[in-house]
Amino acid sequence: MKGRLHPAQARVDARQGARALAIWNSFRTCILSVMLLACGPFLSGASEPPSAAAIAPPAAAAPPDDGQWTMPAKNYASTRFSDLTEINEGNVKNLQVAFTFSTGVNKGQEAAPLVVGNIMYIVTPFPNIVYALDLSRPGAPMKWKYEPNPEPAAQGVACCDVVNRGAAFADGRIFFNTLDGHTIALDANTGKPIWNAHIGNINIGETITMAPLVVKGKVLVGNSGGEMGVRGWVKALDAGDGHIVWTAYGTGPDKDVLIGPDFKPHYDMDKGTDLGVTTWPPEAWKIGGGNMWGWISYDPALNLIFHGTGNPGPWNPDLRPGDNKWTSGIFARDPDTGAAKWFYQWSPHDLHDYDGINEQILLDMTWQGKPRKVLVRPERNGYLYILDRTTGEVLSATAYGPVNSSKGVDLKTGRLIANPDKKTGTGKVVRDICPTASGLKDWQPSAFSPRTGLLYIPHNNLCMDEEGVEVNYIAGTPYVGMNVRMIPGPGGNRGAFTAWDVAAAKPAWVLKENFPVWSGTVVTAGDVVFYGTMEGWFKAVSARTGDLLWQFKTSSGIIGQPITYRGPDGHQYVAILSGVGGWAGAIVSGDLDPRDATAALGFVNAMKDLKNATTAGGTLYVFRLP
Amino acid sequence: MRQALALLLPLTLALVACQREERDTRPQSALGSGEQPTPVTTLEPGGQRPSPTDNKAASFEANAFHMSEGKRLFSWFNCSGCHANGGGGMGPALMDEKWLYGSSIESIHATIRDGRPNGMPSFGQKIPDDQIWELSAYVRALGGNAPSSAAPQRNDGMMVHPSENRLPDAATLGKSP
């Protein structure tokens, strides 16, 4: 199961990262050499934390753990790290089920449960039911449920299953989004709706699947629809009454993108006026994507939010010559006004549906001898980027798996160096492009432990054939223009779970999984990492070595986000939603036909056997020590 | 002379045997003329009556020309965006044996014309009626419900699935593969 990364992995950054302290380096070498005997001094006491203290999230964005879980990313720095230690490497093997709960919805369960006080909150895929479970009573009975009754027709315009990635809690309220384009605030105690803002229009193919983030009294929400020719946006809604405070578009003139005098991008390629118009064929930006359906982080000290932008539409790049700003990139914005501070484009003129919306983990670290405020982004195009989050400068970009669609990142210009052999276009079949449209990693969020200095990345290992075709824009229907068929990547394992040494910019260890690892992950101060597989295994592995410590087979494949919390009884619990689906699992949740290699935008071809491995489901599992 | 005759005879026979289907290559293009209501269910209080057939259906069903036109339109109107090349995606698979709203050409025609509640758009105002029939005939072929002599053959580009004229009848497959 355990192995080094495939040799096809391309290293692009010759620069070795900041040298962590010597003791940390020797610790890591020990893991790599797998000569555990030689590691005696390090393995003897888990009590001695590794020296990675050099890398830690900024305190303001990752306050001390209170045992709750109030937002999917755990904190504004998005570490998904818990300080709880009751469950640890030594005793995790004894974990057992505390209680389960059926969501009643057999679609892909991508959400993270929330725990606030004595209550757990979960939001289901369409029809987006919110349940509140009372953790203070035996069996965690339902306290209330809220059914928003979204329009059934929304299911037809959701690109990749009818998922929802979770809710957010702030000031006594639960905020969540519905597939048919509503953001709703509920009284966390009673489940009574406080406001309901209708901000997305399914008739143009707009849906909402992301989890909102609440920052300074504003609920930040973005739309999905990059496969439907939907113009992307992020909106800030007033947490009090739901009115729109600002809207920042992902394409179009500067005033729509909220680019003004404060905008200082680091690279020349992102400088100019109205690039969101001029880097497109006439009018194409209006239906050009750049949607924001992923993760937002927030640095209170800098007063900046960071969010990515999705792929340009249509996928067929011949139909949109130009850099297609501001798609497949990342913005830093002032949360009060939405004003853009900087932007960096991961994939200018994206050729392969490399959305730029993955999670960004905010960390402070020493880089080449100097303290830097960075953000770390395992990106869909296959590179793990370290950016200076004050300026948007790329410090390093290193492939964390097999990549042949590009040849690295030019650190002078910041530009991704596309591989001309893998350029797609109309009427052309291009084979063996790695990674796939779903990326080396898609939305499934990683976790960072300041104790190990490792970033735990759940990801895919897939390649694809692509054929560009003509496509008509018909509002409310797909605008893709690409036949895609995916295949397993080098080695044949379709998924991997990689522990990435941030300081050294290389993997510490890699676990191979048969199916894409489409679940999120959580890491704890007990040095345990949890993640799930699409067969339905919920696994605990050592944060230091990757050794499998415990696993439990749930009723359906897992694509959800695990969390851990301190229950009302003072004990530590771990929770995960099981229920296969999402883009990777659409073959099961949508009962698709594997004889068509292009089904589910080509993903089905790589997942033909998933129907034999699992069935649809929707169940919450909560574990604790006996 | 004899040799020439010997050659000619099989040739004539072959030509005669090659019975061509009738092609109405210019169907009327008025919008939405297929007004006939099609029940969504076979259940009827008071006992089942024969399901209504549309007299247009016969001229489109299993007709090679109309099916190949339907195949072209299937991409043209972005059906393929939601149903892929029949295996499904945002919308359900159309090549399997499972039908939510009926597999008859009339039911499929009604689906495309009027839409269905869980996300199938209504194309009645967008696509001329005869082209909806062509699409319906092609959808039947996707499910293996058209004679292989008439169903579309392999693609020029990427082979996305076995060509329609080689797809087995989904209903006889027993279980989904």
Side-chain angles (χ1 to χ4, degrees):
Chain A
M1 291 294 277
K2 217 165 106 187
R4 300 287 299 275
L5 213 61
H6 191 273
Q9 175 213 13
R11 289 291 308 279
V12 283
D13 178 21
R15 289 200 256 172
Q16 282 294 307
R19 306 284 179 274
L21 297 175
I23 184 170
W24 161 240
N25 264 336
S26 63
F27 172 66
R28 182 175 44 72
T29 318
C30 277
I31 301 173
L32 279 177
S33 60
V34 200
M35 297 182 67
L36 294 176
L37 284 177
C39 295
F42 301 100
L43 291 184
S44 56
S47 54
E48 183 191 345
S51 65
I55 309 180
D65 201 333
D66 59 5
Q68 306 190 101
W69 201 278
T70 61
M71 59 182 98
K74 173 67 180 171
N75 50 41
Y76 285 141
S78 307
T79 57
R80 290 177 167 82
F81 171 81
S82 162
D83 276 332
L84 302 183
T85 53
E86 183 186 1
I87 298 169
N88 58 41
E89 278 176 296
N91 62 18
V92 65
K93 62 176 185 292
N94 300 322
L95 273 193
Q96 53 181 233
V97 175
F99 65 91
T100 65
F101 176 79
S102 170
T103 65
V105 181
N106 283 353
K107 293 289 184 178
Q109 316 275 331
E110 287 190 352
L114 301 181
V115 173
V116 184
N118 291 347
I119 303 179
M120 175 180 287
Y121 302 92
I122 48 184
V123 49
T124 73
F126 178 93
N128 305 127
I129 305 164
V130 181
Y131 296 102
L133 308 179
D134 185 349
L135 300 175
S136 66
R137 293 169 54 202
M142 201 192 301
K143 187 175 157 77
W144 52 256
K145 81 169 165 192
Y146 177 77
E147 293 178 281
N149 299 322
E151 285 183 57
Q155 296 169 92
V157 288
C159 91
C160 315
D161 199 5
V162 293
V163 298
N164 184 294
R165 302 193 180 85
F169 171 88
D171 302 327
R173 294 176 180 185
I174 295 290
F175 303 93
F176 73 106
N177 299 311
T178 63
L179 193 68
D180 66 340
H182 292 252
T183 302
I184 299 175
L186 302 177
D187 182 316
N189 209 25
T190 63
K192 295 270 174 311
I194 296 170
W195 52 258
N196 179 327
H198 189 189
I199 53 178
N201 174 9
I202 61 168
N203 271 311
I204 58 163
E206 215 165 46
T207 52
I208 307 185
T209 57
M210 56 95 73
L213 185 78
V214 187
V215 167
K216 295 172 88 176
K218 291 178 194 66
V219 187
L220 305 173
V221 183
N223 62 356
S224 310
E227 283 56 57
M228 316 287 288
V230 172
R231 185 183 177 202
W233 46 251
V234 189
K235 289 180 195 291
L237 310 181
D238 184 279
D241 61 11
H243 80 267
I244 296 170
V245 182
W246 52 259
T247 301
Y249 284 93
T251 67
D254 286 354
K255 65 169 181 15
D256 291 6
V257 187
L258 303 188
I259 286 177
D262 292 347
F263 185 59
K264 306 240 158 27
H266 188 81
Y267 297 101
D268 287 346
M269 63 174 179
D270 301 317
K271 293 174 186 163
T273 306
D274 290 335
L275 295 182
V277 173
T278 59
T279 58
W280 292 89
E283 309 288 299
W285 56 270
K286 292 181 178 168
I287 51 173
N291 305 82
M292 220 307 287
W293 54 274
W295 301 108
I296 311 174
S297 304
Y298 169 54
D299 183 337
L302 294 174
N303 194 33
L304 287 179
I305 57 163
F306 306 93
H307 72 82
T309 54
N311 62 284
W315 288 14
N316 183 345
D318 281 357
L319 307 177
R320 46 174 173 79
D323 268 2
N324 311 132
K325 304 278 186 218
W326 306 89
T327 64
S328 293
I330 179 172
F331 274 107
R333 295 182 183 278
D334 178 333
D336 302 314
T337 62
K341 285 285 154 70
W342 55 257
F343 172 86
Y344 171 71
Q345 196 167 26
W346 318 109
S347 303
H349 185 60
D350 164 51
L351 302 174
H352 307 292
D353 182 39
Y354 294 154
D355 291 71
I357 57 73
N358 288 358
E359 74 285 1
Q360 44 276 313
I361 298 93
L362 310 186
L363 299 174
D364 292 344
M365 67 186 288
T366 306
W367 179 260
Q368 295 181 337
K370 288 202 199 79
R372 297 292 282 260
K373 293 177 186 301
V374 303
L375 74 75
V376 176
R377 161 66 81 92
E379 175 53 18
R380 189 136 145 174
N381 65 15
Y383 298 97
L384 190 130
Y385 290 81
I386 301 184
L387 262 58
D388 182 322
R389 71 175 180 275
T390 62
T391 61
E393 178 189 358
V394 180
L395 304 182
S396 77
T398 315
Y400 57 100
V403 174
N404 67 19
S405 59
S406 61
K407 297 180 166 174
V409 177
D410 181 333
L411 292 181
K412 278 218 174 57
T413 61
R415 217 177 157 86
L416 184 75
I417 306 161
N419 177 355
D421 296 345
K422 302 297 178 185
K423 191 184 172 314
T424 53
T426 309
K428 200 166 82 166
V429 181
V430 183
R431 291 175 203 280
D432 280 322
I433 307 168
C434 320
T436 45
S438 48
L440 190 55
K441 190 177 94 53
D442 201 285
W443 74 281
Q444 60 269 48
S446 50
F448 176 81
S449 168
R451 290 172 52 85
T452 59
L454 301 180
L455 182 71
Y456 302 92
I457 314 173
H459 63 104
N460 317 321
N461 177 36
L462 299 166
C463 301
M464 65 177 171
D465 301 340
E466 284 191 317
E467 175 190 39
V469 292
E470 290 291 342
V471 61
N472 295 312
Y473 176 74
I474 306 173
T477 73
Y479 189 49
V480 173
M482 191 75 80
N483 278 325
V484 184
R485 126 181 107 192
M486 301 189 193
I487 49 174
N493 55 303
R494 286 163 282 185
F497 190 82
T498 296
W500 186 264
D501 184 332
V502 175
K506 59 182 181 190
W509 43 263
V510 180
L511 307 176
K512 295 180 180 175
E513 290 288 354
N514 184 21
F515 291 112
V517 188
W518 207 256
S519 85
T521 182
V522 62
V523 57
T524 73
D527 287 336
V528 185
V529 191
F530 294 93
Y531 71 96
T533 73
M534 292 186 76
E535 291 97 333
W537 288 106
F538 187 49
K539 297 189 173 183
V541 302
S542 160
R544 301 180 301 156
T545 63
D547 289 339
L548 181 64
L549 304 173
W550 169 84
Q551 60 180 346
F552 180 89
K553 185 76 184 281
T554 64
S555 50
S556 174
I558 297 178
I559 59 162
Q561 303 167 58
I563 66 155
T564 182
Y565 64 94
R566 192 186 302 116
D569 60 359
H571 289 292
Q572 183 181 356
Y573 291 76
V574 182
I576 182 73
L577 281 163
S578 156
V580 83
W583 189 5
I587 178 172
V588 172
S589 62
D591 191 14
L592 308 183
D593 195 318
R595 286 174 297 165
D596 176 2
T598 61
L601 297 161
F603 219 136
V604 160
N605 195 52
M607 304 297 287
K608 288 186 165 148
D609 49 342
L610 189 65
K611 279 187 176 179
N612 303 330
T614 189
T615 56
T619 304
L620 169 79
Y621 287 81
V622 179
F623 302 91
R624 66 154 179 240
L625 292 172
Chain B
M1 185 62 194
R2 278 179 77 108
Q3 273 170 345
L5 251 178
L7 263 175
L8 214 71
L9 200 70
L11 204 69
T12 334
L13 274 175
L15 278 174
V16 170
C18 189
Q19 188 211 13
R20 304 279 319 242
E21 65 183 23
E22 302 244 323
R23 278 186 191 181
D24 181 4
T25 47
R26 286 202 53 194
Q28 80 215 56
S29 58
L31 277 175
S33 54
E35 294 297 348
Q36 175 149 341
T38 308
V40 177
T41 173
T42 55
L43 283 180
E44 272 185 69
Q48 197 183 341
R49 268 158 281 166
S51 55
T53 49
D54 193 299
N55 48 21
K56 263 184 159 179
S59 54
F60 288 88
E61 178 145 37
N63 177 295
F65 173 73
H66 290 310
M67 282 190 287
S68 80
E69 279 298 281
K71 178 169 181 162
R72 185 178 63 80
L73 297 170
F74 196 78
S75 298
W76 187 256
F77 286 111
N78 294 351
C79 313
S80 54
C82 286
H83 296 285
N85 290 287
M90 302 181 212
L94 301 178
M95 55 197 298
D96 64 12
E97 73 276 29
K98 296 163 199 165
W99 292 94
L100 295 161
Y101 302 106
S103 64
S104 71
I105 191 166
E106 288 87 356
S107 304
I108 296 170
H109 176 274
T111 294
I112 303 169
R113 180 190 60 197
D114 301 333
R116 296 293 183 188
N118 294 315
M120 170 66 194
S122 142
F123 282 92
Q125 297 303 308
K126 188 104 201 149
I127 308 181
D129 189 58
D130 284 10
Q131 296 195 327
I132 295 182
W133 285 108
E134 290 179 328
L135 279 161
S136 311
Y138 174 63
V139 169
R140 299 254 317 143
L142 266 177
N145 296 315
S148 59
S149 56
Q153 298 178 24
R154 72 172 302 244
N155 293 348
D156 289 340
M158 188 193 271
M159 271 297 273
V160 292
H161 55 61
S163 58
E164 288 81 351
N165 65 344
R166 303 182 62 186
L167 279 172
D169 180 344
T172 61
L173 278 178
K175 75 179 197 66
S176 69

